[in-house]
Amino acid sequence: MILRGIAASDGIGLGRAVCVREENLDYSDVAYSGKESEKARLQAAIEEFEQRTSAMAEHIRQQVGDKESEILTGQIAMLADPFMRSQMQDAIDGGACAEAAVDNVCTMYADMFAAVEDEMMRQRATDVKDIRSRLLGILLGAASVDLSNLPTGTVLVTRELTPSMTVGLQKKNVAAIITATGGKTSHSAILARALQVPAVLSVTKVLEVVQDGDGLIVDGGEGIAILNPDERTRSEYLTRQKDYQARIASLKVYQNRPTVDADGKRYQLFANIGSAAEAEVAAQSGAEGIGLFRTEFLFMDRTSLPDEMVQYEAYRAVSQTMAGKEVIIRTLDVGGDKAIEYLGMEKEENPFLGHRAIRYCLDRPDLYKVQLRALLRAGAEEHNIKIMLPLVTSVDEVRAARELLEQCKQELSEAGLPYDKDIALGVMIETPAAALTADLLARESDFFSIGTNDLTQYTMAVDRGNAQVASLYTPFQPAVLRSIRGVITAAKEAGIPVGMCGEAAADPGLIPLLMAWGLDEFSVSTSSVLATRASIHRWREDEVKLIAQEALGLSTASGVEGYLKKVSAPEK
């Protein structure tokens, strides 16, 4: 039986299932003991949570790395939010026991984050759910999940791999991971990749289908799991596993190499990040710059606007970490579906097409100019910061943003503060409108970066979170490929650099097409840097041009994908 899900962490694992099911956190029998007593219980639980979580974070830092430990330290910071705590105390004042206060407030926050379109933002929902479960467990005296004594060859099957579950996890005993929820950028995926364990996520009803002891093969690259395989299938996948491990070992030779094709032509290979701390990981991964710094994280995890100094320090930290290398920072991409309570955003009928990103920022110049000033100041030392505008649909938006930028320069000059007078302003091409008018936008922009995630969604009129139309959501669609080619062509004709920061930039099947069309810069996740460099290194100019010609002659997404997967398959 083949189980299908999301390919989240590459590799092949073979073993037997160990199913981790949710613990019983029913508190219906807990009686309310009065305001002071319940608040004391809540405070004691929070303190114990913080102590346990700090210990967990340190363990993960030593075993896996700083980046992954920050998932847990971020939970401590989230629970320390005075607004969240006051809401729990208000619930107790209203007659709720500590368990109900934790449950209701955490569920409210989790629902808010889960409604956000951006998968990385949805990680906050996972954090809050983990906080909720562990606080309830502490209050109820429930035993926490202990995965420290798993047998060798375990395929861990669970609803979701939470950061707390990885404490004590012995990587040598875990062959693979399967979860019922999560996407490519979820905490489950991040942790699985950090552990270098193959993982397939969002396998519907997996805990109903799989039982403890069942044999499993997990192919994290293809996003499939095979339940109780026969001996012939096992033998075939053991061979594939050895081949995969040999390929991974061979990638290490690309760690400190320049990104060039087989003819010696140079490309830029950057990394996508969501926080200043991730810049360190990007630098260590071999990235030659930052192609996308998502600034909305500075705004999401707080109860008030980050002021100019807070933003300046964050942007400056990334700039200094990547000294001598480009850092492209996307301005605030929030609004509509990314609801931030303190911004007073109105709920919209169709948030995907609503008051968001550049539209929201231009209508809030007071807020936007704070960010633009911080970016200008942060670029004063290294002069490596570039500003990128999200969700642009017209030349008017670029001109309005540039006008605000000039106002900020004037204000900083009058204040006697240093700033980058020549900072570049570019456009993220992620809407059909931007793709269709790329020639016009190129005259107003210093650079382009193609965001294939939204460009695919909007071009194909597909909600990428809707499983019923998921087959349409693929960059291999001829309409999407033609849009990408048109954008690159427009940038080339205007003489401005063009990159790509969407997931397609790391797809080995699409890389030869992007090279053939003239893409200058590939920006990928830190875990994909070496594989992307190896893919680029493989191709000659004459080869990619022939591949691109053949691919564009095909009329279906399945035909294009099948052809490109065949020609880009790893060399034997």
Side-chain angles (χ1 to χ4, degrees), residues 32-35 38 88 90-102 104:
Y32 181 69
S33 60
K35 293 180 184 179
E38 294 297 340
M88 291 180 183
D90 288 346
I92 290 174
D93 287 338
C97 64
E99 288 84 352
V102 167
N104 294 338

Side-chain angles (χ1 to χ4, degrees), residues 174-186:
V174 182
I177 296 166
I178 305 175
T179 70
T181 65
K184 282 190 175 182
T185 55
S186 66

Side-chain angles (χ1 to χ4, degrees), residues 249-266:
S250 70
L251 289 178
K252 295 189 182 300
V253 302
Y254 293 98
Q255 179 70 42
N256 298 310
R257 286 190 182 182
T259 304
V260 296
D261 65 13
D263 295 320
K265 180 181 177 182
R266 187 69 186 261

Side-chain angles (χ1 to χ4, degrees), residues 15-19 155 209-216 227-229:
R16 295 204 168 273
V18 173
C19 299
V155 175
V209 176
V210 178
Q211 303 299 319
D212 285 319
D214 280 343
L216 283 164
L227 181 61
N228 293 321

